[in-house]
Amino acid sequence: MEDEEGPECGKPDFVLLDQVTMEDFMENLKRRFQKGRIYTYIGEVLVSVNPYQELPLYGPEAIAKYQGRELYERPPHLYAVANAAYRAMKRRSRDTCIVISGESGAGKTEASKHIMQYIAAVTNPSQRAEVERVKNVLLKSTCVLEAFGNARTNRNHNSSRFGKYMDINFDFKGDPVGGHIHSYLLEKSRVLKQHVGERNFHSFYQVLDSDEKSHYQAVMEAMRVIGFSPEEVASVRRILAAILHLGNIEFVELEEGGQEQGRLAVTEEVLVDHVAELTATPREMVLRCLLARTVASGGRDLIEKGHTAAEASYARDACAKAVYQRLFEWVVDRINGVMEPRGRDPRRDGKDTVIGVLDIYGFEVFPVNSFEQFCINYCNEKLQQLFIQLILKQEQEEYEREGIAWQSVEYFNNATIVELVERPHRGILAVLDEACSTAGPITDRIFLQTLDTHHRHHPHYTSRQVHLCPRLARWEGARPLPPHWPWPPRYSVEGFIDKNRDSLFQDFKRLLYNSSDPTLRAMWPDGQQDITEVTKRPLTAGTLFKNSMVALVENLASKEPFYVRCIKPNEDKVAEKLDEGHCRHQVAYLGLLENVRVRRAGFASRQPYPRFLLRYKMTCEYTWPNHLLGSDKAAVGALLEQHGLQGDVAFGHSKLFIRSPRTLVTLEQSRACLIPIIVLLLQKAWRGTLARRYCRRLRAVYTIMRWFRRHKVRAHLTELQRQFQTARQPPHYGRDLVWPQPPAVLQPFQDICQALFCRWRARQLVKNIPPSDMAQIKAKVAAMAALQELRQDWGCRRAWARDYLSSATDNPTASGLFAQRLKTLREKDGFGAVLFSSHVRKVNRFNKSRDRALLLTDRHLYKLEPGRQYRVMRTVPLDAVTGLSVTSGRDQLVVVHSRGYDDLVVCLHRSRPPLDNRVGELVGVLASHCQGEGRPLEVRVSDCIPLTQRGARRLVSVEPRPEQPEPDFRCSRGAFTLLWPSC
């Protein structure tokens, strides 16, 4: 344990006291309480003293401090016990339980809240939605159950007037996936009356009192989170109001002399109206149930029997108690329905583990104790018996069984007290049941006399009739006398029979079952029973409670228990005050001193040898991974000897007994240091296994893929060979053949094959073309590449004559003149060939359009004037021409761009046939020539062509006009428009 508490704070574990006496125990308890240390250990049992004030002991920082730690690594705390129970559940997959006990006002309810908060804080790190929902319901359920089941008493402002045991289900990850609440013996008599200075259940005040508004809102929010519908919440409020109005109803017997002499009536019938409205039942039926009851005669006849005023009051009170009890049970069942694990399949998800939290009523001793206190204190006796069996008796018996020498500790075994209460046929509850089932006038006094007859010689039983003493002279009742209680409770048997019968007339059950409120109706399923139906006698309240206690103890005994023993420091509920005499009584009847003696005389922990080796064998070279010694006991001895811990243990026949918790802490620390190394080794081996398995699978996959690829390649090549068997046949050379879809791996190969095939087929087609046509073919190919399919019609399907001005067909009147001019230019400029010639319509920078001729040779571009024997008007070196611009339509507009010269804007026309498409021919021959010279020629296709003339930027576009006889240009605002005669 970390040294966070100095000597001035006392011993953090009562086992460490120098002497085990009541004086030393109380001195240590008082010293720790004065220093704000409200928690102290007795081995693994936690002793808690209610501080009656808020202390800075809780919250996220404290939770982180205790999370994952061993019990003795931190100072005593509730969180340490909660963590120990949670780790035992998660590590060993064992069901555990935390039993919180102590008298009323000792802080049991607050302890259970802190335990629930710790469990909620350390679970669900992955933030799963379903787990978060369950956690919220678990936390909020406490608020709701406190509202309906807790009340203010003279000993406790928030006293639980019912017993609660909650099972929390966890999955294999250690996250809560559900839960179930068991409730025991609600003190429903509190609905009718309370002791002076006490209150009814909180729920009534939260509905009525404005001072309780914050608590009421907290309960409403909790019910919303849990899943109560608005209709159900409204029904709950109406039921509470109905109980209050029902309690105000009074009865009067009509005076003699009237017409209704001897009949019973309600003093204020408006209260009946309120009850009928709030319970959604007919007013006449409510009034009939209050004033009379229906009885079945020997046959099937029904008789209505009127009540006396006393009988009516009894029926009213029984109805009020029963309605509230059914309401409380319905709330618990509703919460359980929401908390039940959803979609859990043990075959798929594994078995759930459980942590149980028991918050049961505290031991109560009042000046007058009735049937409720008798049941509550019997419950505490039953739990004390379980504590004795698990902590004291079983421990000593185990030492004897294992052959461990030790000093026996005397303790009181209260089994005789429990047997006095629950023994069949002769026990107090059995005698009470017999009295309740006997026909005839059986009174509480007759019941007491029967008890005296059976138990007058019992050492732990006394009554006024048996032992008359001055202290008991004014008390009529009986009491079991347990020696471990310094002041034995005295019970008044008045009302025992009525409370044990717990009878309610069937008329009220049928009335509420037939309510139109579905929530109220669901609380009374037994109301559908016909009045003439014969049923078994229902079990009495005492028998039901005894059976539930037996089942509870069996449930707790099947789990690994952790104990929180709560002590109430004073009766005044005042902070920083410890009444030593009062605390002595609690220490005595809780058996804490005997617990310390057993722990000091015995051993803090014991484990079977195989389990001990399984957990700690990795810390010793002789036992890891498996030992070769003669037995597990010898292996454990070798392990402890290597750690130097053999002096703090004892060897039993089948178990190792460890005296000091320090030994366990040392072993756990050694194990914690080695676990990462072992985990790393296991991860390494497992990752290697996974890698080898993956490698084998990968090799198999690659083998399959390789053979499959081969198959697909062969199949594809075979299909190609079959498809292209006729590809060499002229004239198409496989033009119409369809290439099959290749596998992905052959796609690049097929792309190359297609390119090769296209080149081969082109070669086959081209090699048969005469040499005289090759220049035309090259020009067409150049035009196609330059226009890039942007101009659909460019004259590719006709023969290209190139020199149209020398053609008698195209220029019949002036072809001779042009031939003479061409001869002169050839002699002057020395060009080799005419690339293109045609008549054009041009527009200049002065916005004047004229007919001209265009001559393109391999050296120059000439603009000629046809009207003057084709006189040269402009000469541009061909290497100065940088590009051409054409449109995408059928018009013959061409813009010639040249470096250092104005752009030339012309339209090819006066062709034969008219408007023949020759733009593509001009582009092709010029592009082919430039390719031959190895210089670029930019060809642009646009319907709005920019150009430059004398440094000014202009645009030229085309406007189709059906009525236009000849192409011509129109100039406006620095732009040219070609008016093209459209067909």
Side-chain angles (χ1 to χ4, degrees):
M1 187 186 300
E2 290 186 355
D3 188 17
E4 297 185 11
E5 298 184 344
E8 70 279 1
C9 298
K11 305 288 186 182
D13 193 329
F14 286 112
V15 176
L16 304 177
L17 290 175
D18 296 331
Q19 295 181 353
V20 184
T21 63
M22 179 62 78
E23 288 70 22
D24 292 326
F25 190 100
M26 291 305 304
E27 177 63 28
N28 190 64
L29 185 72
K30 186 175 182 180
R31 179 180 298 181
R32 291 186 61 78
F33 182 76
Q34 291 172 346
K35 295 295 183 180
R37 304 306 196 266
I38 63 173
Y39 298 120
T40 312
Y41 287 133
I42 303 178
E44 294 181 352
V45 176
L46 182 69
V47 178
S48 170
V49 183
N50 192 346
Y52 288 119
Q53 61 178 324
E54 294 291 335
L55 295 177
L57 301 177
Y58 314 100
E61 293 184 2
I63 290 174
K65 181 179 175 182
Y66 284 88
Q67 184 177 358
R69 296 285 185 168
E70 293 296 334
L71 194 66
Y72 288 92
E73 291 186 61
R74 290 282 190 257
H77 200 287
L78 267 174
Y79 290 163
V81 175
N83 177 69
Y86 179 72
R87 294 187 73 190
M89 178 275 300
K90 191 173 180 181
R91 278 182 176 181
R92 301 193 293 271
S93 296
R94 288 198 57 184
D95 293 345
T96 61
C97 64
I98 303 175
V99 180
I100 308 172
S101 58
E103 75 168 74
S104 179
K108 300 183 300 300
T109 300
E110 289 301 314
S112 68
K113 288 182 185 178
H114 291 309
I115 290 172
M116 295 297 298
Q117 290 168 357
Y118 179 87
I119 293 174
V122 300
T123 54
N124 197 29
S126 58
Q127 295 297 306
R128 288 185 290 165
E130 175 62 15
V131 175
E132 203 64 26
R133 182 192 70 84
V134 171
K135 285 168 51 176
N136 289 336
V137 174
L138 289 173
L139 293 176
K140 296 297 184 180
S141 64
T142 301
C143 175
V144 176
L145 293 179
E146 282 186 6
F148 290 92
N150 288 25
R152 177 184 296 178
T153 67
N154 292 324
R155 297 189 174 189
N156 186 358
H157 290 311
N158 189 32
S159 176
S160 297
R161 308 318 300 165
F162 72 104
K164 181 181 72 172
Y165 173 74
M166 177 183 291
D167 268 332
I168 309 172
N169 295 70
F170 294 84
D171 61 10
F172 72 97
K173 296 181 179 179
D175 291 333
V177 293
H180 190 86
I181 297 172
H182 300 267
S183 62
Y184 304 98
L185 190 67
L186 176 71
E187 189 191 24
K188 58 185 180 182
S189 62
R190 183 168 293 271
V191 174
L192 305 180
K193 58 183 178 179
Q194 306 88 37
H195 292 290
V196 177
E198 295 189 352
R199 298 201 325 174
N200 205 333
F201 293 100
H202 294 327
S203 56
F204 293 107
Y205 302 92
Q206 291 172 0
V207 170
L208 297 176
D209 193 352
S210 60
D211 294 337
E212 301 279 345
K213 185 176 181 180
S214 61
H215 297 288
Y216 173 76
Q217 291 176 346
V219 174
M220 292 298 103
E221 173 63 18
M223 296 180 75
R224 184 193 66 79
V225 172
I226 291 172
F228 287 84
S229 67
E231 294 77 14
E232 291 173 332
V233 174
S235 295
V236 170
R237 288 199 297 265
R238 288 196 297 270
I239 293 171
L240 293 173
I243 294 173
L244 294 175
H245 285 295
L246 186 64
N248 292 330
I249 295 178
E250 296 182 355
F251 304 96
V252 60
E253 294 183 2
L254 299 179
E255 297 179 358
E256 297 182 3
Q259 296 181 353
E260 298 182 348
Q261 176 180 350
R263 292 192 60 184
L264 192 68
V266 174
T267 55
E268 297 183 54
E269 293 198 356
V270 67
L271 297 174
V272 179
D273 297 337
H274 294 333
V275 172
E277 179 183 358
L278 292 169
T279 58
T281 55
R283 178 191 182 280
E284 295 76 13
M285 294 299 298
V286 174
L287 186 60
R288 181 183 301 174
C289 291
L290 290 171
L291 299 180
R293 66 188 181 103
T294 305
V295 181
S297 63
R300 299 184 61 84
D301 296 332
L302 302 180
I303 300 175
E304 185 173 297
K305 181 182 178 182
H307 288 319
T308 64
E311 290 173 341
S313 298
Y314 175 84
R316 174 203 61 200
D317 294 346
C319 180
K321 292 189 296 181
V323 169
Y324 193 80
Q325 181 182 18
R326 295 292 179 100
L327 172 63
F328 181 78
E329 292 172 351
W330 177 83
V331 169
V332 174
D333 292 340
R334 187 72 176 79
I335 295 173
N336 285 335
V338 176
M339 287 198 302
E340 286 296 328
R342 299 180 179 179
R344 302 287 297 169
D345 186 352
R347 294 171 297 180
R348 179 193 64 204
D349 305 316
K351 176 183 177 296
D352 291 347
T353 48
V354 171
I355 292 181
V357 180
L358 177 65
D359 175 15
I360 205 73
Y361 348 74
F363 177 73
E364 293 184 342
V365 179
F366 298 112
V368 177
N369 300 282
S370 186
F371 179 76
E372 291 81 7
Q373 282 69 45
F374 176 80
C375 293
I376 287 173
N377 295 338
Y378 158 66
C379 167
N380 280 269
E381 285 290 345
K382 194 74 175 172
L383 294 176
Q384 178 68 13
Q385 183 189 24
L386 176 67
F387 177 78
I388 291 172
Q389 288 177 343
L390 295 181
I391 301 298
L392 305 178
K393 182 180 178 182
Q394 288 183 3
E395 185 145 346
Q396 297 191 72
E397 290 177 350
E398 186 173 30
Y399 293 152
E400 295 174 1
R401 186 170 57 251
E402 290 288 330
I404 302 297
W406 81 307
Q407 181 181 359
S408 179
V409 176
E410 293 296 329
Y411 61 89
F412 171 73
N413 190 342
N414 69 335
T416 180
I417 302 295
V418 174
E419 183 184 18
L420 174 63
V421 176
E422 65 180 24
R423 180 182 176 185
H425 307 301
R426 297 177 63 88
I428 295 176
L429 289 178
V431 174
L432 182 60
D433 282 355
E434 184 179 357
C436 292
S437 62
T438 302
I442 300 296
T443 64
D444 296 321
R445 183 177 296 275
I446 296 175
F447 158 64
L448 180 59
Q449 291 172 354
T450 307
L451 285 180
D452 292 342
T453 302
H454 288 306
H455 302 295
R456 67 173 54 246
H457 300 298
H458 196 285
H460 303 299
Y461 173 86
T462 186
S463 74
R464 179 180 179 184
Q465 283 84 348
V466 177
H467 298 288
L468 297 177
C469 59
R471 193 174 63 160
L472 306 180
R474 299 180 60 188
W475 170 79
E476 295 185 2
R479 56 176 176 171
L481 292 178
H484 63 292
W485 285 342
W487 71 102
R490 298 180 291 184
Y491 303 106
S492 172
V493 297
E494 181 181 353
F496 262 52
I497 291 179
D498 286 340
K499 292 179 179 180
N500 189 51
R501 281 176 176 162
D502 196 24
S503 58
L504 177 67
F505 295 142
Q506 188 71 19
D507 301 70
F508 286 106
K509 298 179 181 179
R510 289 195 301 273
L511 171 71
L512 298 173
Y513 173 75
N514 291 306
S515 169
S516 58
D517 185 338
T519 302
L520 182 61
R521 178 187 176 93
M523 299 176 190
W524 298 90
D526 47 347
Q528 60 184 325
Q529 176 184 324
D530 189 83
I531 192 172
T532 60
E533 184 177 346
V534 179
T535 60
K536 294 177 61 177
R537 185 185 300 273
L539 295 177
T540 61
T543 300
L544 288 173
F545 184 70
K546 181 192 72 172
N547 294 343
S548 65
M549 286 299 102
V550 172
L552 172 63
V553 169
E554 290 178 353
N555 187 6
L556 295 176
S558 67
K559 296 176 171 58
E560 182 176 343
F562 294 84
Y563 285 92
V564 178
R565 312 290 265 173
C566 297
I567 292 179
K568 183 178 181 180
N570 58 77
E571 286 284 358
D572 303 322
K573 301 183 282 290
V574 177
E576 299 181 358
K577 175 184 177 182
L578 189 140
D579 185 338
E580 188 171 345
H582 186 71
C583 291
R584 277 175 178 264
H585 298 327
Q586 298 174 73
V587 170
Y589 76 69
L590 287 173
L592 300 184
L593 215 56
E594 291 91 340
N595 191 191
V596 175
R597 292 194 180 104
V598 171
R599 281 289 175 180
R600 283 174 63 92
F603 299 85
S605 177
R606 73 291 318 269
Q607 293 188 27
Y609 294 123
R611 183 187 299 172
F612 183 87
L613 279 177
L614 185 63
R615 184 160 187 82
Y616 300 113
K617 63 181 180 179
M618 71 284 297
T619 65
C620 176
E621 58 182 324
Y622 303 110
T623 57
W624 177 256
N626 293 300
H627 69 85
L628 300 176
L629 301 175
S631 65
D632 288 345
K633 183 176 181 179
V636 170
L639 187 151
L640 292 170
E641 185 175 355
Q642 179 168 328
H643 286 279
L645 301 173
Q646 66 273 21
D648 193 45
V649 300
F651 293 89
H653 299 313
S654 62
K655 294 182 179 179
L656 174 72
F657 290 78
I658 303 173
R659 187 178 302 276
S660 170
R662 177 66 61 186
T663 297
L664 283 177
V665 172
T666 302
L667 291 171
E668 285 291 335
Q669 290 174 347
S670 299
R671 181 179 181 272
C673 293
L674 291 171
I675 285 295
I677 301 174
I678 297 173
V679 169
L680 189 62
L681 177 64
L682 293 176
Q683 288 178 341
K684 177 181 177 181
W686 180 239
R687 285 171 179 164
T689 301
L690 292 179
R692 287 187 291 273
R693 181 187 301 174
Y694 178 74
C695 184
R696 287 194 297 270
R697 290 180 178 176
L698 204 60
R699 286 174 180 169
V701 168
Y702 282 149
T703 301
I704 295 172
M705 289 172 60
R706 184 169 60 253
W707 285 97
F708 183 73
R709 284 186 184 133
R710 290 179 181 178
H711 165 73
K712 295 294 287 184
V713 168
R714 290 194 189 99
H716 184 67
L717 293 178
T718 302
E719 180 65 17
L720 281 178
Q721 185 178 10
R722 188 186 65 80
Q723 289 275 12
F724 286 88
Q725 286 179 351
T726 61
R728 291 182 177 274
Q729 297 178 3
H732 299 303
Y733 296 101
R735 181 190 67 184
D736 299 326
L737 293 177
V738 178
W739 288 74
Q741 182 66 32
V745 69
L746 287 182
Q747 187 64 55
F749 167 76
Q750 182 147 316
D751 292 341
I752 295 173
C753 289
Q754 285 180 331
L756 292 174
F757 175 76
C758 291
R759 292 175 64 86
W760 173 82
R761 182 171 175 273
R763 176 62 183 167
Q764 299 302 316
L765 295 174
V766 169
K767 72 180 182 180
N768 296 325
I769 298 175
S772 58
D773 295 338
M774 285 304 297
Q776 183 176 167
I777 294 297
K778 291 181 179 180
K780 288 184 176 181
V781 170
M784 181 177 64
L787 296 175
Q788 299 178 352
E789 299 183 354
L790 297 176
R791 183 179 175 104
Q792 299 297 324
D793 190 1
W794 46 276
C796 64
R797 298 185 179 276
R798 63 175 182 81
W800 288 357
R802 297 193 178 193
D803 188 4
Y804 293 99
L805 295 180
S806 298
S807 171
T809 302
D810 207 74
N811 189 13
T813 60
S815 58
L817 293 175
F818 177 74
Q820 292 178 6
R821 177 62 62 185
L822 189 63
K823 181 179 178 181
T824 303
L825 289 176
R826 190 187 303 272
E827 293 174 351
K828 175 185 176 184
D829 296 333
F831 60 83
V834 175
L835 302 181
F836 184 82
S837 66
S838 174
H839 287 106
V840 298
R841 183 74 171 175
K842 72 98 180 180
V843 62
N844 59 16
R845 64 180 182 276
F846 302 112
N847 301 333
K848 302 295 185 180
S849 60
R850 297 286 188 273
D851 287 336
R852 294 289 185 264
L854 183 67
L855 172 61
L856 181 65
T857 69
D858 57 0
R859 298 285 297 277
H860 297 89
L861 172 67
Y862 300 96
K863 182 175 71 173
L864 309 175
E865 185 177 4
R868 296 187 178 182
Q869 298 178 355
Y870 293 99
R871 180 173 63 88
V872 176
M873 300 184 66
R874 181 179 176 187
T875 302
V876 178
L878 196 59
D879 56 4
V881 176
T882 59
L884 299 176
S885 294
V886 299
T887 65
S888 60
R890 290 183 53 85
D891 58 87
Q892 300 299 296
L893 177 65
V894 178
V895 177
V896 181
H897 305 282
S898 52
R899 185 172 51 254
Y901 297 88
D902 290 346
D903 292 343
L904 180 61
V905 184
V906 299
C907 174
L908 308 181
H909 81 131
R910 292 173 59 183
S911 59
R912 298 292 185 274
L915 306 179
D916 191 17
N917 195 340
R918 295 176 180 173
V919 169
E921 184 176 355
L922 175 58
V923 171
V925 296
L926 185 55
S928 177
H929 178 76
C930 291
Q931 289 176 1
E933 292 185 345
R935 65 184 182 89
L937 178 70
E938 182 180 5
V939 178
R940 290 179 294 184
V941 180
S942 174
D943 291 333
C944 187
I945 302 173
L947 56 98
T948 304
Q949 289 183 340
R950 292 291 182 174
R953 299 284 293 177
R954 296 193 176 190
L955 297 175
V956 58
S957 58
V958 179
E959 179 183 336
R961 281 196 176 184
E963 70 278 3
Q964 183 75 20
E966 293 288 337
D968 200 0
F969 288 95
R970 182 183 65 196
C971 304
S972 63
R973 297 183 181 179
F976 302 139
T977 302
L978 173 62
L979 305 177
W980 179 256
S982 60
C983 299

